[in-house]
Amino acid sequence: MAEVGPECIGIPILSGCDEEIVKAVISGEIPSYALEKQLGNSRRAASIRREALQRTTGRNLEGLPIDNFDYDSILGRCCELPVGYVQLPVGVAGPILLDGLEYYVPMATTEGCLVASTNRGCKAITESGGAISTVLRDGMTRAPVVRFETAARAAQLKFFLEEPANLESIALIFNRSSRYARLQGIKCGLAGRYLYMRFVCSTGDAMGMNMVSKGVQNVLDFLQDDFLDMEVISISGNYCTDKKPAAVNWIEGRGKSVVCEATIKGEIVKKVLKTDVASLVELNVVKNLVGSAVAGTMGGFNAHASNIVTAVFIATGQDPAQNVESSHCITMMEAVSCGQDLHVSVTMPCIEVGTVGGGTHLAAQAACLDLLGVKGASVESPGANASRLATIVAGAVLAGELSLMSALASGQLVMSHMKYNRSTKGIIAKD
Amino acid sequence: MAEVGPECIGIPILSGCDEEIVKAVISGEIPSYALEKQLGNSRRAASIRREALQRTTGRNLEGLPIDNFDYDSILGRCCELPVGYVQLPVGVAGPILLDGLEYYVPMATTEGCLVASTNRGCKAITESGGAISTVLRDGMTRAPVVRFETAARAAQLKFFLEEPANLESIALIFNRSSRYARLQGIKCGLAGRYLYMRFVCSTGDAMGMNMVSKGVQNVLDFLQDDFLDMEVISISGNYCTDKKPAAVNWIEGRGKSVVCEATIKGEIVKKVLKTDVASLVELNVVKNLVGSAVAGTMGGFNAHASNIVTAVFIATGQDPAQNVESSHCITMMEAVSCGQDLHVSVTMPCIEVGTVGGGTHLAAQAACLDLLGVKGASVESPGANASRLATIVAGAVLAGELSLMSALASGQLVMSHMKYNRSTKGIIAKD
Amino acid sequence: MAEVGPECIGIPILSGCDEEIVKAVISGEIPSYALEKQLGNSRRAASIRREALQRTTGRNLEGLPIDNFDYDSILGRCCELPVGYVQLPVGVAGPILLDGLEYYVPMATTEGCLVASTNRGCKAITESGGAISTVLRDGMTRAPVVRFETAARAAQLKFFLEEPANLESIALIFNRSSRYARLQGIKCGLAGRYLYMRFVCSTGDAMGMNMVSKGVQNVLDFLQDDFLDMEVISISGNYCTDKKPAAVNWIEGRGKSVVCEATIKGEIVKKVLKTDVASLVELNVVKNLVGSAVAGTMGGFNAHASNIVTAVFIATGQDPAQNVESSHCITMMEAVSCGQDLHVSVTMPCIEVGTVGGGTHLAAQAACLDLLGVKGASVESPGANASRLATIVAGAVLAGELSLMSALASGQLVMSHMKYNRSTKGIIAKD
Amino acid sequence: MAEVGPECIGIPILSGCDEEIVKAVISGEIPSYALEKQLGNSRRAASIRREALQRTTGRNLEGLPIDNFDYDSILGRCCELPVGYVQLPVGVAGPILLDGLEYYVPMATTEGCLVASTNRGCKAITESGGAISTVLRDGMTRAPVVRFETAARAAQLKFFLEEPANLESIALIFNRSSRYARLQGIKCGLAGRYLYMRFVCSTGDAMGMNMVSKGVQNVLDFLQDDFLDMEVISISGNYCTDKKPAAVNWIEGRGKSVVCEATIKGEIVKKVLKTDVASLVELNVVKNLVGSAVAGTMGGFNAHASNIVTAVFIATGQDPAQNVESSHCITMMEAVSCGQDLHVSVTMPCIEVGTVGGGTHLAAQAACLDLLGVKGASVESPGANASRLATIVAGAVLAGELSLMSALASGQLVMSHMKYNRSTKGIIAKD
């Protein structure tokens, strides 16, 4: 960003020992953010910043590790002003049999029981013959907002964008932003004389926000020539919608829309999940449908999709701030085969993932992607890795839903039957 | 949870070399989840599991660090089936002057510009005299669902719970779950013959979900004696609402409800934020209010609160899966002092944080809490540390909103004025 | 309202024949709105206005009746600038056995099948032993918005209002607005330095909006003395929320919150509703729960509550503009008695009705209220009539839901089984 | 509907005097619903039904008019089991200059001040040069729900429907339902193995629900041939969404999507609206944007659109039960011309109106449509009348918003400045 370090252009690499530089940072002589550039050594910059921070605050950062991390890998890409790193343990749930392949799903979390519970769900799925996923649509979005003098005029741009021929020309402009970007459409929202244009495009194996933003910028420049009276207010007008719960995402989807399903055999429900089909079906209606309806949710018709999405996102270098909408999910459970087996599915319209960009190139995260066989860009079929990662997220959520719902359903039995000798272990909900 | 290892009770500690045990795990002879108990050595268990995983999958986990981490610290508390950990770089934004104190805010993220941008916001706030926060309410929630034969009967329990005398008795039962738990009230939602009882309680310095769940369990047992016909369906009926966007949280709050505000001097807006008051005020209406309205958001009237919430949560050992509702935020910007200065605020009803429990005790995360002066339980004033952490989260969000909105607002200027020679640097929105 | 006619105070009653006055209205010499006051004859005023309108527009209003209506009854209370009236046919559904009494429910509608369908539902309910209703809470709301210089200061007023002693004093002030008004509480919403105070009060047999508004005005005056820096922005800040779909109503309720339920015998489902229990239970999940969830509804988990609410509202002189939230409803259907019978319920948190005020005193509407035995104020138990009316609305909705859902469920069978010889009559959904 | 009277086919016209037939109805010998068919005289049937009702209930319906209404006009189309009609006074607001034409808008209401207030808004608009409307899109919707054995299979139908060639074939089938029906597209929502297909089509001058339902039925039959495993669960799966507040309508629109705008001159704001531009702009942000955001609205970012929509709907024979979504509206107010004038707009995505069908043919309602010049079907341009009616609704809402907001804004001044001598008249909000 512009505010990072333009002042230091041309400044010679700092000489001086660490101690001198620490003092200069504390005194404000050397801006903390300029250390990387001035020292030409990311690791040393972090160390000096850290020392200055400790002295300034009088706090001890000893517990925060600093070694064994490649600070060049985050420089100008992932994190500014670093002083170390936090460690998030990675547990592995699985194997889960999904679309004919077995996956071991890495989950970075500090929430007890989460990996174990998901693991149990994976077992139930795999022993029942596996889960099947379908990618319903795939498109990242960005919605700038522009203003005209009148609403009538804003509507003209809307009508212009809806003409197939115009969309074609615009796609040509848009797609220049990247060889992977392919504009799919533009959905317009209007409020008076403000037009919000939600660009949707496929983005290869990248999550794609930056790619889309660049394409949008190109299109805005292009449109300006024909719509001289168009004022660009912001490249993002919140109709995108990024990292906020919003109807437009729930209805239209964002990133990958995935449905994942499995039929769990009745005996597996009993043996692995320690409950029965009827109880799960009932609980799903009472909790995930009715309870969420009473609570007034937007897209939260599930037990704890967010837990699994977040843990897999962190392990694989995704942006966990996006789990707000990436965890939108409606979980369905129905009795099939004359009530003997359980059909369970999760429908998730907004899984925002990539296998390149973001934190995916960091060593640990890349290893987790590699474990899943989706590291980096897919050469043979661009976008295939990111799509596959989305289906794995959905598969893991399916496992997580199955297991927590079972714990809750059987907890109920515990409560009814063992009133005087109960343990709360295992029935404390994780959602 | 029940599914973790009850089978291994009484099993003698495994002898044998690593190689033998790895093979036994691969063959299924030794269940992977049982390694910790059977080996009596968490670190070795992780190592063996990891090796088995590598051989099973044919994947190389080399990039995923395993050393320099205390596996005992997560055993039975934070993460099952561990095979290593991911590293998330921690950048520090600040100082931000908040309620008279200066804080350096640790942010764990892999999103470029986020720390730098928040840092800029901190600078604008601090140079303008600082921000002020107010905790509007504080209560964690859990809502079990019970069923009666009729809705009329379910309503009777609702009326019973609304009697002050009954609530008092129930509080006595509830509060036994912990010396910090203090039941504040029970809000009832009803759908036919199902009653959803949302228990609200203060939880000291813990985020408090487990504490509340225990208290709820106690109360359910107690109520069962008077309401023999009450069927407990689930200890969580989604009216809580945990990790899902839900109106009940937006309206009622969950965790800490905090408002944080600052008045940014006009000259600081220009100098530090590179924009002007009028542009910010206008953009806030067009993007954060109108754009979010058109998008149909629930609680997402902000630019990118989720980014900051998530980064601070991960750095300080909070549950990032809760960012779904913890990032609910309405950002307000108004011109004051005859249009010269900017009054900015963020109102966040659901900040779910604790300074004990969860991942807060892990070395790195504890160091980050210590950096903020809110590590562990507050001895002199139970709950004060968690409350303070919530205000710091809100303060950091305030800084983040200011900075991104400024980048967007000035980007617009860039676009208008430098059409033929523009750089997209710094104007690519981060939300 | 202030804009109606203050200019004509003191103006002598117009002399002159109709023709002269019509011309004066057309020429603008006499303002149309002043006719009632200047002529001292409401009926004649309407007639002259109508004639002027016909001449001005060149349109013929012959079809719009003007006779046989008491224009004095609406003067200054119900409708300004009248030129006649529309006729809405009133059909009667019933009897419905509700809480031990039989009601014939008047419905004013022009939607074909609606009365007949509701009638069928009433029959199914009555033949099954009747429905039972429960009023869960009762309180009308109004939420002014005020501003302070800072959010911290706005929070102080919030804390002040939460003190029981202060609420008591405020209630004294508030309740002066009417002998029926009883303040129950004040729920505060805050956005930065703006405080939205949602006053909730019982209002006797009136729907109560005006009563509450007056009480709110009294309290604002009172508070101003202690909070000199409080700026009243508006007596309504949309946190009320009147005539808009809003989470605060769905969660908190507005007007009367009612649940109404019945158990329909399996044989009645077959004989009267022409379907079966299992089909209804399934359809309710698929349409009213899942379909509405996928559509992203707020409070619309039903088939067509709005149809019935609107028809009964118009017939009984309620405000049909309030059906936006009065029709919020979650419909539940479950198999009971080992799957043989159907338990059905509607839970409606926001039924806004009164038996005095609004259009309730007009002759036709009053007759409809009288038919239900709830005309005017209840002498023995103030508020009882309005409450009863709310339960009747809920009962009628229960009947309507049952019947339409049955038509849809059996229509499905029609479709499957009679593919080549089908009639679309009776299967076209009304919702 | 099927339940109305099939039993009476072939039954000879009843002889006997009224008294005998009344007794037969009371005794149950003659079903009340069969009277029309058996008597062959709608008016007499209503009269006998009414008398039977009075005797059965012991209530007097004298106040409910029965004469001067054509009962044949509602027979089998608008209302079953009639016993009379209610009268709703029609006031006229206007003229409002809209798109270059002057309209006098009929409003049927019993809410005091509503017509007068709207009238004031019309005056402000007309004196400022008039309002301009734009129809952004136009399509009625209906969404059946079908089930497959798996979600993967349901997705196949979704993909099938998304193929342009298939959509073309389907449109041919669909459009047979009426010569006005033109299928525009099908939007799919999916939850597990359930597919909700939202058909969108233009419907000429009809509101179009029945037309769409018929077309959908045709398509379902057609699809069944290719998708033998498709189970039709219901012709309406609530993804339509009719008469419920739903995100899908707010985002996608339903019926006509209209934006209507005007620039009100500063002097008119003062003279006619008794307030000033700055106060209105501020109030719109605080109430219609922020207040509604805090309340958690879906599509309710306005002051009282529902009031105007409902009144115009009833006067013109529309379905007032649809006001739930027809009143979705975001109201914008901005200072323009260097702060001197006010730009105001209402954006309403879901105005569901028609000029044929429903109650539009009833004499009074037809007269109101005629007054607006939009009676019946447009011969020269099918659909033009319904479209125009939608713009008039939006124009009237614009007027209503202006006036109520002004009353609220100036009420505030009253409150501040005339504390000891205030009248609450005119400042009590109508929303």
Side-chain angles (χ1 to χ4, degrees), chain A residues 107-184:
Chain A
M107 303 175 71
T109 185
T110 61
E111 181 174 357
C113 294
L114 182 58
V115 180
S117 179
T118 308
N119 190 50
R120 181 172 76 150
C122 290
K123 192 177 172 195
I125 290 168
T126 302
E127 293 193 2
S128 294
I132 297 293
S133 70
T134 309
V135 177
L136 298 167
R137 48 162 298 293
D138 179 4
M140 182 41 59
T141 67
R142 170 59 82 203
V145 53
V146 301
R147 173 171 60 197
F148 288 89
E149 217 169 301
T150 64
R153 183 72 179 134
Q156 282 178 5
L157 176 50
K158 175 184 185 286
F159 297 142
F160 177 89
L161 297 174
E162 285 167 0
E163 282 296 319
N166 294 333
L167 184 61
E168 221 168 288
S169 317
I170 288 168
L172 287 177
I173 308 292
F174 183 96
N175 296 346
R176 283 180 203 153
S177 68
S178 154
R179 67 192 153 120
Y180 297 113
R182 289 292 169 272
L183 185 64
Q184 298 170 358

Side-chain angles (χ1 to χ4, degrees), chain B residues 134-136 150-152 155 158-159 187 190-194 247-248 251-252 259 261 298 332 334 336 343 345 347, chain C residues 134-136 150-152 155 158-159 187 190-194 247-248 251-252 259 261 298 332 334 343 345 347:
Chain B
T134 309
V135 177
L136 298 168
T150 65
K158 175 182 185 287
F159 297 142
K187 179 172 183 60
L190 188 140
R193 57 207 194 103
Y194 292 87
V248 74
I251 298 296
E252 298 286 315
V259 59
E261 66 190 321
M298 170 63 65
M332 302 276 287
E334 292 179 281
V336 291
H343 186 269
S345 67
T347 306
Chain C
T134 309
V135 177
L136 298 167
T150 64
K158 175 184 185 287
F159 297 143
K187 177 168 185 62
L190 189 142
R193 58 207 192 103
Y194 293 87
V248 73
I251 298 297
E252 298 287 315
V259 60
E261 66 190 319
M298 169 62 64
M332 302 276 286
E334 292 179 281
H343 186 270
S345 67
T347 307

Side-chain angles (χ1 to χ4, degrees), chain B residues 79-341:
Chain B
C79 185
E80 303 79 39
L81 302 160
V83 297
Y85 60 88
V86 289
Q87 300 161 302
L88 283 172
V90 172
V92 171
I96 177 172
L97 181 59
L98 174 68
D99 299 325
L101 296 173
E102 285 201 340
Y103 296 96
Y104 289 83
V105 184
M107 302 174 72
T109 186
T110 61
E111 180 173 356
C113 293
L114 182 59
V115 180
S117 178
T118 308
N119 189 50
R120 181 172 75 150
C122 290
K123 192 177 173 195
I125 291 167
T126 302
E127 293 193 2
S128 293
I132 297 292
S133 69
T134 309
V135 177
L136 298 168
R137 47 163 298 295
D138 180 3
M140 182 41 59
T141 66
R142 169 60 80 204
V145 53
V146 300
R147 173 170 61 196
F148 288 88
E149 216 169 302
T150 65
R153 183 72 179 134
Q156 282 178 5
L157 176 51
K158 175 182 185 287
F159 297 142
F160 177 88
L161 297 173
E162 285 167 1
E163 282 296 319
N166 295 333
L167 184 61
E168 221 168 288
S169 318
I170 288 167
L172 287 177
I173 308 292
F174 183 96
N175 296 347
R176 282 181 203 153
S177 69
S178 153
R179 67 192 153 119
Y180 297 113
R182 289 292 169 273
L183 185 64
Q184 297 170 358
I186 305 171
K187 179 172 183 60
C188 290
L190 188 140
R193 57 207 194 103
Y194 292 87
L195 186 68
Y196 299 79
M197 300 172 280
R198 192 174 187 259
F199 289 74
V200 189
C201 83
S202 56
T203 57
D205 284 306
M207 183 269 279
M209 288 275 290
N210 287 341
M211 197 186 291
V212 186
S213 295
K214 273 186 213 163
V216 165
Q217 187 62 55
N218 291 347
V219 173
L220 290 177
D221 296 347
F222 171 77
L223 288 173
Q224 193 83 71
D225 291 334
D226 284 328
F227 292 83
L228 293 168
D229 52 342
M230 178 182 83
E231 265 184 280
V232 177
I233 303 293
S234 171
I235 187 125
S236 163
N238 272 16
Y239 191 60
C240 315
T241 300
D242 195 45
K243 299 172 186 169
K244 273 89 72 181
V248 74
N249 290 342
W250 178 243
I251 298 296
E252 298 286 315
R254 191 167 199 253
K256 281 90 170 110
S257 301
V258 181
V259 59
C260 188
E261 66 190 321
T263 300
I264 310 299
K265 290 190 182 117
E267 74 225 52
I268 305 284
V269 172
K270 284 209 189 81
K271 196 188 68 178
V272 178
L273 300 174
K274 317 288 188 205
T275 182
D276 57 88
V277 172
S279 296
L280 281 174
V281 170
E282 176 187 78
L283 180 59
N284 195 63
V285 170
V286 174
K287 175 187 169 74
N288 288 345
L289 299 181
V290 178
S292 286
V294 173
T297 191
M298 170 63 65
F301 299 92
N302 60 78
H304 70 145
S306 175
N307 272 331
I308 294 96
V309 169
T310 305
V312 179
F313 268 35
I314 296 178
T316 59
Q318 310 304 311
D319 187 346
Q322 287 186 316
N323 80 337
V324 175
E325 63 267 21
S326 287
S327 64
H328 281 350
C329 171
I330 182 163
T331 297
M332 302 276 287
M333 295 190 181
E334 292 179 281
V336 291
S337 327
C338 302
Q340 288 204 310
D341 301 331

Side-chain angles (χ1 to χ4, degrees), chain D residues 413-423:
Chain D
L413 299 177
V414 170
M415 278 180 272
S416 313
H417 297 313
M418 303 204 298
K419 200 169 159 191
Y420 296 102
N421 182 21
R422 89 169 53 75
S423 151

Side-chain angles (χ1 to χ4, degrees), chain A residues 73-320:
Chain A
S73 70
I74 58 168
L75 184 63
R77 304 173 67 179
C78 287
C79 185
E80 302 80 38
L81 302 160
V83 296
Y85 60 88
V86 289
Q87 300 161 302
L88 283 172
V90 173
V92 171
I96 178 173
L97 181 59
L98 174 67
D99 299 324
L101 296 172
E102 285 201 340
Y103 296 97
Y104 289 83
V105 184
M107 303 175 71
T109 185
T110 61
E111 181 174 357
C113 294
L114 182 58
V115 180
S117 179
T118 308
N119 190 50
R120 181 172 76 150
C122 290
K123 192 177 172 195
I125 290 168
T126 302
E127 293 193 2
S128 294
I132 297 293
S133 70
T134 309
V135 177
L136 298 167
R137 48 162 298 293
D138 179 4
M140 182 41 59
T141 67
R142 170 59 82 203
V145 53
V146 301
R147 173 171 60 197
F148 288 89
E149 217 169 301
T150 64
R153 183 72 179 134
Q156 282 178 5
L157 176 50
K158 175 184 185 286
F159 297 142
F160 177 89
L161 297 174
E162 285 167 0
E163 282 296 319
N166 294 333
L167 184 61
E168 221 168 288
S169 317
I170 288 168
L172 287 177
I173 308 292
F174 183 96
N175 296 346
R176 283 180 203 153
S177 68
S178 154
R179 67 192 153 120
Y180 297 113
R182 289 292 169 272
L183 185 64
Q184 298 170 358
I186 305 171
K187 178 170 184 61
C188 290
L190 188 140
R193 57 207 193 103
Y194 293 88
L195 186 68
Y196 300 79
M197 300 172 281
R198 192 174 188 260
F199 289 74
V200 188
C201 83
S202 56
T203 57
D205 283 306
M207 183 270 280
M209 289 274 290
N210 287 340
M211 196 185 291
V212 186
S213 295
K214 273 186 214 163
V216 165
Q217 187 62 56
N218 291 347
V219 173
L220 290 177
D221 297 346
F222 171 77
L223 288 173
Q224 193 83 71
D225 291 334
D226 283 328
F227 293 84
L228 292 167
D229 52 343
M230 178 182 83
E231 264 185 281
V232 177
I233 303 294
S234 171
I235 187 123
S236 163
N238 273 16
Y239 191 60
C240 315
T241 301
D242 195 45
K243 299 173 186 168
K244 273 89 71 181
V248 74
N249 290 341
W250 178 242
I251 298 295
E252 299 286 316
R254 191 167 198 253
K256 281 91 170 107
S257 300
V258 181
V259 59
C260 189
E261 66 190 320
T263 300
I264 310 300
K265 291 191 182 116
E267 73 225 52
I268 305 285
V269 172
K270 283 208 188 82
K271 197 189 69 179
V272 177
L273 300 174
K274 317 288 188 205
T275 182
D276 57 88
V277 172
S279 296
L280 282 173
V281 171
E282 176 187 78
L283 180 59
N284 195 63
V285 170
V286 174
K287 174 186 170 75
N288 287 345
L289 299 181
V290 178
S292 286
V294 173
T297 191
M298 170 63 65
F301 298 91
N302 60 78
H304 71 145
S306 175
N307 272 330
I308 293 96
V309 169
T310 304
V312 179
F313 268 35
I314 296 179
T316 59
Q318 311 304 311
D319 188 345

